Amino acid sequence: MKRKKTIFLFFVLIFVVNLEALMPNDSYNLNLSVSNYLKMQSVFDSVSAKIESKKFAEAEEISKRYEQQFPEMALGFFLEFYVGVESKNLSLIEKSLTQLSGKYFSVNYYYSYFQEISRDIDDKEFQLELTRLVNGFCDKRIEFLETKAKKKVNLKKIYKELSYLYFLKNNQERVYENLQKLINSDYQFVREFQTRHFKNNQKIKELVADYEKNMRVWNGTSAQKIAGLLKLSSSIKSYCATLPFSSIPDWDLYVESFIPRILKARTKKDYYEILAKIVGKIGDNHTAIRFPDDIENSYAKCGLEIVYLQGKYVVSSIESEELKKIVSPGDEIVKIDDIPVKLFIDAEKDDSIYYFEIKKFWGTDIYREFLSKIKNIHPAEVKGIIFDIRENRGGNSGFGDKIFSHLINKPVKNYIYNFSPVFFPFDEVRAEIGCLSSDVSGKEILPADSLIFNCPVAVLISPKTSSAAEDFAFLFKYYKRGKLIGLPTSGGTGNPLNVLLPGGGSLRICLNTDLSCGNNRDLNKQTSGTDNRKNF
């Protein structure tokens, strides 16, 4: 990752509001108004543009003006730090870090990029001095937060930030102490922190494992059932981006109607089936119930997957080697334990039509692999391209964006109307709009520098096509760049929040969504393994 992008992610999300002058009770309240947030983004973009063009004096001037205009915000001091790092101005770096050490600012895992900022610098002498200054900042910040923690206010946020600071100081024992204080109130944070930063720390791994073990305990009492329902209800109401677009007019009333059934659930399986029914009404595959392992494992796996197509149950894929001898994809299931009838569609081969099967957008550099396959192809000789994303359940949408850049001649945008719920209590009281679209315009995708293909494109989709793969399919349909062939996609994209539930199951909540959800096909056609292709 480039250092500029690292700095942007880290500090736009971390440094927020200095409330010391505003809130004498030291409540450590980190909320930020939308207008100020948008102002921060605008100022950061201006400073970044000046730094990009090496106009450091102008960038520093913008930072100082922001400090004067909004003295309660820490961003101006950070921007000076940013300018100082890019211009190698150690005095400016020291000044900004001194100011920041006593400010109130939010915390998330981008704290770890402090290390990357230092590692990306070639000047060893400057790198050592920057590391010294950052370490000094960490020491002062820890002292500041430890003092605030004694007031017993907003401890959750303080413990999170201390976890990152001690991580930067490589003090694993103190990291453990703070994560231990957080595990019951913010399991998701602790698990993510452990996964990202302490995969091999046995003590922290055991902390997470012990909590998960305790959550798997099931006693079936009314109190436990209601506690799980309340946790599900409040989490979805607070975080679910797709709830406002569902067919549920009143979430509270809807959940309340299930209380009698929840209390009557005789077994853990019955209980989770009711929870699944509650969540399923939202109609978003990124917001779903995961059943406890003991329930999932109690069902035998039949060795194949089926889809419901035009009133028929049709085989979509086969895992069992034994079943492969008697069943093929496309077969209709007529009866259980009976031999099905084969259904298949063949297509004629053509060496000038290129076939790319993309089974995932994660794990490896998918875009680099795509480039390796097209580097020796002359675009003018290509009659058509087929992208097969029927088995693609998502990953990093950026890979799809980069691939699409080779199929356009002018800029386009993805993630249009990207929506995350934002709550405005005062607006709710006044019966005004109580939510905000986080990004209406979307993210721009520029045409690639070379290898632009203007040929017709077909995209094979299925109900398994989801998340980042839906974002990819959306581009072809929205910009009329290709035909979507197959069954409708799964109808879900976005980033998840996982919430543990009693008895070992969990709830996944979609935190953001956009216009790409639920791409309908252009042609309703099942394809076979003899699709037009060029093998690589």
Side-chain angles (χ1 to χ4, degrees):
M1 181 179 289
K2 292 183 179 179
R3 177 156 40 95
K4 188 181 79 169
K5 291 182 179 179
T6 292
I7 294 176
F8 174 83
L9 287 171
F10 167 47
F11 287 103
V12 163
L13 292 174
I14 288 184
F15 288 92
V16 187
V17 184
N18 173 13
L19 294 165
E20 196 155 32
L22 302 178
M23 305 192 71
N25 63 351
D26 275 342
S27 66
Y28 203 63
N29 187 327
L30 303 177
N31 293 323
L32 182 67
S33 73
V34 174
S35 60
N36 281 338
Y37 175 74
L38 296 175
K39 177 68 176 177
M40 287 170 59
Q41 287 186 313
S42 176
V43 171
F44 191 94
D45 290 342
S46 298
V47 171
S48 297
K50 296 296 183 183
I51 289 176
E52 189 74 21
S53 56
K54 306 297 183 183
K55 296 178 180 179
F56 299 119
E58 294 181 27
E60 184 178 350
E61 182 60 30
I62 295 174
S63 304
K64 289 180 178 178
R65 286 204 306 267
Y66 191 81
E67 290 174 14
Q68 295 168 0
Q69 187 177 3
F70 297 97
E72 75 278 8
M73 292 189 179
L75 179 65
F77 301 106
F78 155 66
L79 291 174
E80 284 192 333
F81 171 80
Y82 184 9
V83 175
V85 171
E86 294 296 319
S87 61
K88 296 185 177 181
N89 185 334
L90 288 170
S91 62
L92 188 61
I93 293 172
E94 185 171 17
K95 173 192 169 187
S96 60
L97 289 177
T98 299
Q99 294 285 345
L100 287 170
S101 63
K103 299 289 182 182
Y104 288 106
F105 53 93
S106 180
V107 58
N108 62 46
Y109 62 79
Y110 290 111
Y111 244 129
S112 62
Y113 287 127
F114 251 133
Q115 294 181 325
E116 290 197 19
I117 292 171
S118 177
R119 285 199 299 264
D120 288 345
I121 296 173
D122 296 328
D123 186 332
K124 297 300 180 183
E125 185 176 344
F126 177 72
Q127 182 189 50
L128 289 172
E129 189 61 20
L130 176 61
T131 300
R132 183 186 69 81
L133 292 173
V134 169
N135 283 334
F137 161 78
C138 290
D139 291 335
K140 292 178 182 178
R141 185 68 184 167
I142 288 172
E143 183 180 356
F144 172 78
L145 292 176
E146 295 283 13
T147 300
K148 296 299 177 186
K150 294 177 182 178
K151 298 186 177 183
K152 307 295 183 182
V153 179
N154 277 314
L155 291 175
K156 182 177 175 179
K157 293 174 181 177
I158 292 175
Y159 293 150
K160 283 185 177 182
E161 191 174 345
L162 285 172
S163 298
Y164 283 111
L165 285 162
Y166 283 119
F167 164 67
L168 290 173
K169 297 291 293 181
N170 197 30
N171 188 332
Q172 297 192 22
E173 186 60 35
R174 296 304 300 272
V175 170
Y176 174 82
E177 290 175 8
N178 284 280
L179 293 181
Q180 189 177 37
K181 296 172 183 176
L182 288 166
I183 187 68
N184 290 316
S185 61
D186 204 331
Y187 157 79
Q188 174 82 7
F189 171 83
V190 176
R191 190 191 69 166
E192 289 292 325
F193 195 96
Q194 183 268 324
T195 301
R196 291 177 181 273
H197 306 303
F198 288 103
K199 288 184 178 179
N200 298 319
N201 185 300
Q202 190 61 31
K203 194 172 182 181
I204 296 177
K205 285 172 66 176
E206 289 176 358
L207 174 68
V208 174
D210 287 345
Y211 178 79
E212 292 173 345
K213 180 180 178 180
N214 290 334
M215 286 300 296
R216 286 195 290 270
V217 174
W218 176 258
N219 53 42
T221 63
S222 296
Q224 187 181 45
K225 293 174 185 176
I226 292 298
L229 180 65
L230 289 174
K231 194 172 186 180
L232 177 148
S233 178
S234 61
S235 297
I236 288 179
K237 187 174 181 179
S238 298
Y239 301 118
C240 183
T242 52
L243 180 61
F245 308 104
S246 73
S247 60
I248 304 172
D250 187 325
W251 175 251
D252 291 334
L253 192 62
Y254 171 71
V255 173
E256 184 181 340
S257 69
F258 282 88
I259 291 178
R261 277 178 277 182
I262 283 289
L263 291 175
K264 290 179 181 178
R266 293 178 300 172
T267 65
K268 184 167 67 172
K269 174 178 171 292
D270 294 339
Y271 177 74
Y272 269 90
E273 284 180 344
I274 298 170
L275 295 183
K277 184 177 180 65
I278 294 172
V279 176
K281 181 74 171 178
I282 297 174
D284 164 32
N285 81 323
H286 271 48
T287 300
I289 288 291
R290 180 185 178 277
F291 280 67
D293 289 341
D294 58 327
I295 295 178
E296 283 195 351
N297 295 335
S298 67
Y299 293 94
K301 297 185 181 298
C302 64
L304 54 80
E305 292 189 10
I306 58 176
V307 295
Y308 189 66
L309 174 63
Q310 297 178 342
K312 300 176 181 179
Y313 291 96
V314 178
V315 176
S316 61
S317 64
I318 306 168
E319 298 177 3
S320 167
E321 293 298 325
E322 288 299 316
L323 286 177
K324 286 180 180 179
K325 299 175 182 178
I326 57 174
V327 183
S328 301
D331 288 353
E332 177 190 355
I333 304 296
V334 179
K335 295 180 180 178
I336 302 298
D337 296 328
D338 200 353
I339 300 176
V341 179
K342 287 189 176 181
L343 302 173
F344 60 93
I345 301 173
D346 288 337
E348 183 181 355
K349 280 192 174 182
D350 189 330
D351 286 344
S352 59
I353 296 178
Y354 289 79
Y355 170 89
F356 300 96
E357 184 180 25
I358 307 174
K359 289 189 174 182
K360 59 183 181 179
F361 280 127
W362 60 273
T364 59
D365 191 331
I366 305 299
Y367 176 62
R368 181 172 294 181
E369 293 175 5
F370 175 74
L371 282 181
S372 69
K373 295 176 180 179
I374 67 172
K375 64 181 180 181
N376 296 320
I377 298 175
H378 298 289
E381 298 176 358
V382 178
K383 292 182 181 180
I385 292 176
I386 298 173
F387 289 105
D388 188 345
I389 55 172
R390 288 173 294 178
E391 300 292 321
N392 193 322
R393 299 184 184 272
N396 184 345
S397 299
F399 290 135
D401 293 348
K402 290 179 179 179
I403 292 173
F404 193 74
S405 72
H406 290 272
L407 302 163
I408 55 176
N409 294 295
K410 61 181 180 180
V412 299
K413 291 186 176 181
N414 205 355
Y415 323 114
I416 300 172
Y417 287 97
N418 190 296
F419 175 85
S420 294
V422 179
F423 182 54
F424 299 99
F426 188 61
D427 286 349
E428 289 283 315
V429 173
R430 293 164 52 183
E432 296 180 1
I433 296 175
C435 56
L436 175 75
S437 291
S438 60
D439 190 352
V440 174
S441 60
K443 178 185 175 183
E444 190 171 56
I445 303 173
L446 299 175
D449 295 331
S450 61
L451 294 172
I452 300 294
F453 297 87
N454 296 308
C455 60
V457 178
V459 183
L460 307 183
I461 58 173
S462 79
K464 295 182 186 178
T465 305
S466 60
S467 199
E470 285 214 50
D471 290 326
F472 184 61
F474 164 79
L475 291 168
F476 293 92
K477 186 174 182 66
Y478 189 78
Y479 293 104
K480 296 179 172 59
R481 184 59 190 90
K483 295 289 186 181
L484 304 187
I485 301 174
L487 298 174
T489 53
S490 68
T493 186
N495 297 300
L497 170 71
N498 292 303
V499 179
L500 286 192
L501 296 172
S506 62
L507 165 69
R508 184 177 68 173
I509 302 173
C510 182
L511 299 177
N512 62 293
T513 189
D514 56 50
L515 204 59
S516 69
C517 271
N519 287 298
N520 293 318
R521 72 278 193 191
D522 295 302
L523 295 175
N524 182 11
K525 183 177 181 180
Q526 286 289 289
T527 52
S528 73
T530 52
D531 296 318
N532 295 335
R533 70 187 64 192
K534 174 85 172 185
N535 293 316
F536 293 91

Coordinates of all heavy atoms in Angstrom, one line a residue, residues 163 165-179 193 197-204:
S163 N -5.1 -0.1 23.5 CA -4.7 -1.4 22.9 C -3.8 -1.1 21.7 O -2.7 -1.8 21.5 CB -5.9 -2.2 22.4 OG -6.7 -2.5 23.5
L165 N -2.0 1.7 21.1 CA -0.8 2.4 21.5 C 0.2 1.4 22.1 O 1.4 1.4 21.8 CB -1.1 3.4 22.5 CG -1.8 4.7 22.0 CD1 -2.5 5.5 23.1 CD2 -0.7 5.6 21.3
Y166 N -0.3 0.4 22.9 CA 0.6 -0.6 23.4 C 1.1 -1.6 22.3 O 2.2 -2.1 22.4 CB 0.0 -1.3 24.6 CG 0.0 -0.5 25.9 CD1 -1.2 -0.1 26.5 CD2 1.2 -0.1 26.5 CE1 -1.2 0.6 27.7 CE2 1.2 0.6 27.6 CZ 0.0 1.0 28.2 OH 0.0 1.7 29.4
F167 N 0.2 -1.8 21.3 CA 0.7 -2.6 20.2 C 1.8 -1.9 19.5 O 2.8 -2.6 19.1 CB -0.5 -2.7 19.2 CG -0.1 -3.2 17.9 CD1 0.4 -4.5 17.7 CD2 -0.2 -2.4 16.8 CE1 0.7 -4.9 16.4 CE2 0.1 -2.8 15.5 CZ 0.6 -4.1 15.3
L168 N 1.8 -0.6 19.3 CA 2.9 0.1 18.7 C 4.1 0.1 19.5 O 5.2 0.1 19.0 CB 2.5 1.6 18.4 CG 1.4 1.8 17.3 CD1 1.0 3.3 17.3 CD2 1.9 1.4 16.0
K169 N 3.9 0.0 20.8 CA 5.1 0.0 21.7 C 5.6 -1.5 21.9 O 6.5 -1.7 22.6 CB 4.7 0.5 23.1 CG 4.3 2.0 23.1 CD 5.5 2.9 22.8 CE 6.5 2.9 23.9 NZ 7.6 3.8 23.7
N170 N 4.9 -2.4 21.2 CA 5.2 -3.9 21.3 C 5.2 -4.4 22.8 O 5.9 -5.2 23.2 CB 6.6 -4.1 20.8 CG 6.8 -5.6 20.4 OD1 5.9 -6.3 20.1 ND2 8.1 -6.1 20.5
N171 N 4.2 -3.8 23.5 CA 4.0 -4.3 24.9 C 2.8 -5.2 24.9 O 1.6 -4.8 25.1 CB 3.8 -3.1 25.8 CG 3.7 -3.5 27.3 OD1 3.4 -4.6 27.7 ND2 4.1 -2.5 28.2
Q172 N 3.0 -6.5 24.6 CA 1.9 -7.4 24.4 C 1.1 -7.6 25.7 O -0.1 -7.9 25.7 CB 2.4 -8.7 23.9 CG 3.0 -8.5 22.5 CD 3.3 -9.9 21.8 OE1 2.7 -10.9 22.1 NE2 4.2 -9.9 20.8
E173 N 1.7 -7.6 26.9 CA 1.1 -7.8 28.1 C 0.0 -6.7 28.4 O -1.1 -7.0 28.8 CB 2.1 -7.8 29.3 CG 1.4 -8.2 30.6 CD 0.8 -9.6 30.6 OE1 1.3 -10.5 29.9 OE2 -0.2 -9.8 31.3
R174 N 0.4 -5.5 28.1 CA -0.6 -4.4 28.3 C -1.7 -4.4 27.2 O -2.8 -4.0 27.5 CB 0.1 -3.0 28.3 CG 1.1 -2.8 29.4 CD 0.5 -3.0 30.8 NE -0.6 -2.1 31.1 CZ -0.4 -0.9 31.6 NH1 0.9 -0.4 31.9 NH2 -1.4 -0.1 31.8
V175 N -1.3 -4.9 26.0 CA -2.4 -5.0 25.0 C -3.4 -6.0 25.5 O -4.6 -5.8 25.5 CB -1.8 -5.5 23.7 CG1 -2.9 -6.0 22.7 CG2 -0.9 -4.5 23.1
Y176 N -2.9 -7.1 26.1 CA -3.8 -8.2 26.6 C -4.7 -7.6 27.7 O -5.9 -7.9 27.7 CB -3.0 -9.3 27.2 CG -3.8 -10.4 27.8 CD1 -4.5 -11.4 27.1 CD2 -4.0 -10.4 29.2 CE1 -5.3 -12.3 27.8 CE2 -4.8 -11.3 29.9 CZ -5.4 -12.3 29.1 OH -6.2 -13.2 29.7
E177 N -4.2 -6.8 28.6 CA -4.9 -6.3 29.7 C -6.1 -5.4 29.2 O -7.2 -5.5 29.7 CB -4.0 -5.4 30.6 CG -3.0 -6.2 31.4 CD -2.1 -5.3 32.2 OE1 -2.3 -4.1 32.2 OE2 -1.1 -5.9 32.8
N178 N -5.9 -4.6 28.2 CA -6.9 -3.8 27.6 C -7.9 -4.6 26.8 O -9.2 -4.3 26.9 CB -6.3 -2.7 26.8 CG -5.7 -1.6 27.7 OD1 -6.4 -0.7 28.2 ND2 -4.4 -1.6 27.8
L179 N -7.5 -5.6 26.1 CA -8.4 -6.4 25.3 C -9.3 -7.2 26.3 O -10.5 -7.5 26.0 CB -7.7 -7.3 24.4 CG -6.9 -6.7 23.2 CD1 -6.2 -7.7 22.4 CD2 -7.8 -5.8 22.4
F193 N -8.9 -7.4 16.2 CA -7.6 -7.0 16.6 C -6.6 -8.1 16.7 O -5.5 -8.1 16.2 CB -7.7 -6.3 18.0 CG -6.5 -5.5 18.4 CD1 -6.4 -4.1 18.1 CD2 -5.4 -6.1 19.0 CE1 -5.3 -3.4 18.5 CE2 -4.3 -5.4 19.3 CZ -4.2 -4.0 19.1
H197 N -3.4 -8.4 14.2 CA -2.1 -8.1 14.9 C -1.4 -9.1 15.7 O -0.2 -9.0 16.0 CB -2.3 -6.8 15.7 CG -2.9 -5.7 14.9 ND1 -2.3 -5.2 13.8 CD2 -4.0 -4.9 15.1 CE1 -3.1 -4.2 13.3 NE2 -4.1 -4.0 14.1
F198 N -2.2 -10.1 16.2 CA -1.6 -11.0 17.2 C -2.1 -12.5 16.9 O -2.6 -13.2 17.7 CB -2.1 -10.7 18.6 CG -1.4 -9.4 19.1 CD1 -2.0 -8.2 19.2 CD2 0.0 -9.5 19.5 CE1 -1.4 -7.1 19.6 CE2 0.6 -8.4 20.0 CZ -0.1 -7.2 20.1
K199 N -1.9 -12.9 15.6 CA -2.3 -14.2 15.2 C -1.6 -15.3 16.0 O -2.1 -16.4 16.3 CB -2.0 -14.4 13.7 CG -3.0 -13.7 12.8 CD -2.7 -14.0 11.4 CE -3.7 -13.3 10.5 NZ -3.4 -13.6 9.0
N200 N -0.3 -15.0 16.5 CA 0.5 -16.1 17.1 C 0.6 -15.8 18.6 O 1.3 -16.5 19.3 CB 1.9 -16.1 16.5 CG 1.8 -16.5 15.0 OD1 1.1 -17.3 14.6 ND2 2.6 -15.8 14.2
N201 N -0.1 -14.9 19.2 CA -0.1 -14.7 20.6 C -1.1 -15.6 21.3 O -2.3 -15.4 21.2 CB -0.5 -13.2 20.9 CG -0.3 -12.9 22.4 OD1 -1.0 -13.5 23.3 ND2 0.6 -11.9 22.7
Q202 N -0.6 -16.6 21.9 CA -1.5 -17.7 22.5 C -2.4 -17.2 23.6 O -3.6 -17.6 23.6 CB -0.6 -18.8 23.1 CG -1.4 -20.1 23.4 CD -2.1 -20.7 22.2 OE1 -1.6 -20.6 21.1 NE2 -3.2 -21.3 22.5
K203 N -1.9 -16.2 24.4 CA -2.7 -15.7 25.5 C -4.0 -15.0 24.9 O -5.1 -15.1 25.4 CB -1.9 -14.8 26.3 CG -2.5 -14.5 27.7 CD -1.5 -13.8 28.6 CE -2.1 -13.5 30.0 NZ -1.2 -12.7 30.8
I204 N -3.8 -14.1 23.9 CA -4.9 -13.4 23.3 C -5.8 -14.3 22.6 O -7.0 -14.1 22.6 CB -4.3 -12.2 22.5 CG1 -3.5 -11.2 23.3 CG2 -5.5 -11.5 21.8 CD1 -2.9 -10.1 22.6

